[in-house]
Amino acid sequence: MTDTRPFTGLKIEGRRDHAHLDTLTSIVPEPLREEFRRLLDGPRVYKRIGRHDDRTYWLSQKEGSDLVTLEVVLPAYQSREELLQVEQELMPDALPPGAAFRTRPVSDPFDDSPETAAVLRGVDAALARGEHWSTVSGTTLESLRRDWLRSRGLY
């Protein structure tokens, strides 16, 4: 993790219906689509779809839930702006009527720094308010680190 690049990927969540599954399928690269469809019909667990170019694709389905999550993991830490660019590249320009997806950034699960935790709390708060994850804007990990040190009299 770097001071301004806390994200490692993007999760895209939608309902398990025709419109959402078609859109998620279109996001998955063509060489991985058959495996994606096969995994959709299988047990509802967290499964690796495969790797294409420099990205790894995962499918998450929970038993008893009508939600499906596509996770795209990137090879390097991403800034807010870089991840927004990835999101714009992945998501179609127009969604089918009635389709709505929830996107959220993914962080390194082994990054236990207080700065990253603070960014993720901000993301969670934005999502809870119904805002897009990227509305957590002017805050960088460096500014959060300074605030944390200041709060302990160390800066």
Side-chain angles (χ1 to χ4, degrees), residues 6 34 50 56 98 105 107:
E34 185 176 328
T56 305
S107 68

Side-chain angles (χ1 to χ4, degrees), residues 13-90:
E13 182 180 74
R15 288 190 315 271
R16 188 179 184 80
D17 61 26
H18 186 69
H20 287 87
L21 292 179
D22 284 351
T23 303
L24 286 173
T25 301
S26 74
I27 293 170
V28 173
E30 184 65 42
L32 302 176
R33 288 183 185 164
E34 185 176 328
E35 180 66 4
F36 177 69
R37 289 183 192 104
R38 188 186 72 74
L39 291 173
L40 279 171
D41 293 334
R44 296 197 175 187
V45 293
Y46 186 67
K47 288 283 204 173
R48 184 178 190 266
I49 301 165
R51 187 172 176 82
H52 186 264
D53 291 335
D54 62 348
R55 298 175 181 172
T56 305
Y57 294 79
W58 295 81
L59 173 65
S60 176
Q61 309 178 90
K62 293 182 180 156
E63 201 61 49
S65 173
D66 70 338
L67 298 177
V68 175
T69 303
L70 175 65
E71 184 175 338
V72 181
V73 179
L74 304 161
Y77 288 98
Q78 306 288 305
S79 69
R80 173 185 170 273
E81 290 73 22
E82 290 167 326
L83 196 59
L84 270 171
Q85 187 175 4
V86 169
E87 181 180 16
Q88 289 170 353
E89 173 192 322
L90 291 172

